[in-house]
Amino acid sequence: MSERGRSPARLAALLLVALPLPAAAEPAVTILDLPFSASALRGPGSEVAIAVATSGLLPLARPKPGGTGAAAEGGPIAVVWGEAGGAVLALVDGHVTATLLGREAVEGLAAAETPRGALPGSRRALSGALSAHLAEPVTVRGRLGAGALVIRERKAVPMSAEPKAVPVATATVRPAPDPAFAPRAPRIAAFDGRPAILAVGETEDGSSLMVVEPAESGWSVRARSPAEPGRPLQVAGVADFSGTGRMQVAATGSADGTARLRLWAYEGGALRPLLSAPGYDAAAPGEGGPDLAALLPRDGAVDLAVPVADRSALAIVSLKGAITERARAPLPAPAAFGVATLGAGAAARLLVGLADGRIAVVNPNP
């Protein structure tokens, strides 16, 4: 074929290459219609959500007008509450439904999050028979910290005709040589099938990520990352983000004065940095608040939903091989008191507690 005959085809190919690809649809954001201003949000699997689901409250709760009452049908739930009321949120046929609860009932169940002797305003971590909470208030860098991490583990009770109390083993871990644990809720995780607790240590110079593990001599700090200046680090999530079959830790901090997301591997008793990207912050405003991040399982992997640095938008971030922002959802008010996931894959919805007391519902797959 002559050059003249090939020109139209070549021109068409060039035009196809030059044309911009269709832009990805921006995640849809709606506001949940609730008759009260919320100040707390707990997602599926949280101590409060489990307590509400098993308390018998749901069959007695009032379905919101126009709702289905489907929160009582056994699916994953989230719980929100404020001074004037509370609600159980569930995902039904792609829509988030609300079942109203009394504030006093929710707060009564939520009180267990801070056990006796715990750092004021802190929340314990709970996973199966294992729990962990911060205790013994101390002051570091002019703010409240904890001098101890208290770990409790329920032991198995042998079969017997007589009722027996469940034995509980208690261990107290000190942050030494750091003077304190930062007021960040501990996280219970598992690395290579072994239980571990993630905490944040704090010194006058900054904060570091800590891994606490059991050994023959008891629980102790096994690994810690280098100290970073700025606000204390915030664990954003623990999952197999890279798809390698091994768990990694996503955390945010501000080592260089810029909010930054980092991915860590824990291998051979040491924390190893893998990835880093600026512009994300999972820490709630104030000290000791809940983290503002949630896991989003989809496409055979796990993404992370985390606010951008100024909390004005929620980003959906992949940490597989590189930190890549899949999508960004602008919020009508800054994220302030929680992020949670209902559902998985294409059906998933993200809940965000906003600074003005509203709950935003983000559809990451519009």
Side-chain angles (χ1 to χ4, degrees):
M1 183 181 292
S2 68
E3 286 296 321
R4 183 186 299 271
R6 282 198 295 264
S7 295
R10 184 176 300 171
L11 180 59
L14 289 172
L15 287 173
L16 286 174
V17 172
L19 287 174
L21 295 175
E26 189 176 86
V29 180
T30 57
I31 296 297
L32 198 62
D33 183 16
L34 293 173
F36 60 89
S37 178
S39 57
L41 164 65
R42 303 290 187 268
S46 66
E47 187 169 359
V48 173
I50 293 171
V52 170
T54 58
S55 65
L57 283 174
L58 287 177
L60 306 175
R62 292 186 295 119
K64 188 180 179 299
T68 65
E73 295 177 4
I77 62 170
V79 182
V80 298
W81 69 95
E83 291 187 1
V88 174
L89 309 182
L91 186 61
V92 181
D93 298 329
H95 299 282
V96 176
T97 66
T99 301
L100 300 181
L101 295 172
R103 174 183 59 84
E104 294 81 3
V106 179
E107 288 187 341
L109 295 171
E113 288 185 313
T114 306
R116 182 177 300 177
L119 192 71
S122 67
R123 294 164 53 191
R124 71 174 171 179
L126 182 64
S127 179
L130 195 63
S131 71
H133 67 269
L134 300 176
E136 300 182 12
V138 296
T139 301
V140 179
R141 292 200 282 176
R143 57 173 167 247
L144 185 67
L149 174 69
V150 178
I151 302 167
R152 292 176 177 159
E153 186 174 10
R154 299 194 309 274
K155 299 298 183 179
V157 180
M159 295 293 292
S160 171
E162 298 295 328
K164 295 183 178 180
V166 177
V168 178
T170 301
T172 300
V173 177
R174 305 292 175 182
D178 293 1
F181 290 105
R184 302 296 197 206
R187 290 284 192 104
I188 298 176
F191 297 98
D192 297 324
R194 289 172 52 84
I197 296 170
L198 295 166
V200 176
E202 188 163 19
T203 71
E204 294 294 340
D205 298 324
S207 64
S208 59
L209 188 63
M210 291 181 173
V211 180
V212 180
E213 283 189 324
E216 291 184 2
S217 58
W219 289 82
S220 62
V221 178
R222 179 78 185 279
R224 71 184 73 214
S225 66
E228 300 182 7
R231 294 182 65 193
L233 298 173
Q234 174 69 64
V235 175
V238 184
D240 178 15
F241 293 109
S242 64
T244 61
R246 301 181 68 91
M247 304 294 277
Q248 296 96 35
V249 182
T252 63
S254 56
D256 55 2
T258 301
R260 184 174 293 273
L261 172 65
R262 286 185 174 86
L263 187 66
W264 297 84
Y266 177 60
E267 299 168 346
L271 283 161
R272 179 169 59 89
L274 297 176
L275 303 171
S276 177
Y280 306 100
D281 192 355
E287 298 297 333
D291 63 277
L292 301 179
L295 302 179
L296 182 60
R298 64 179 188 176
D299 300 335
V302 180
D303 289 346
L304 183 70
V306 60
V308 298
D310 64 1
R311 299 182 284 114
S312 64
L314 187 71
I316 312 300
V317 179
S318 168
L319 296 95
K320 188 174 183 179
I323 296 180
T324 306
E325 189 171 306
R326 288 178 177 263
R328 180 178 292 203
L331 299 171
F337 58 85
V339 176
T341 304
L342 286 177
R349 298 294 183 269
L350 295 162
L351 307 173
V352 185
L354 303 178
D356 59 9
R358 295 181 294 172
I359 302 294
V361 179
V362 178
N363 178 1
N365 306 288

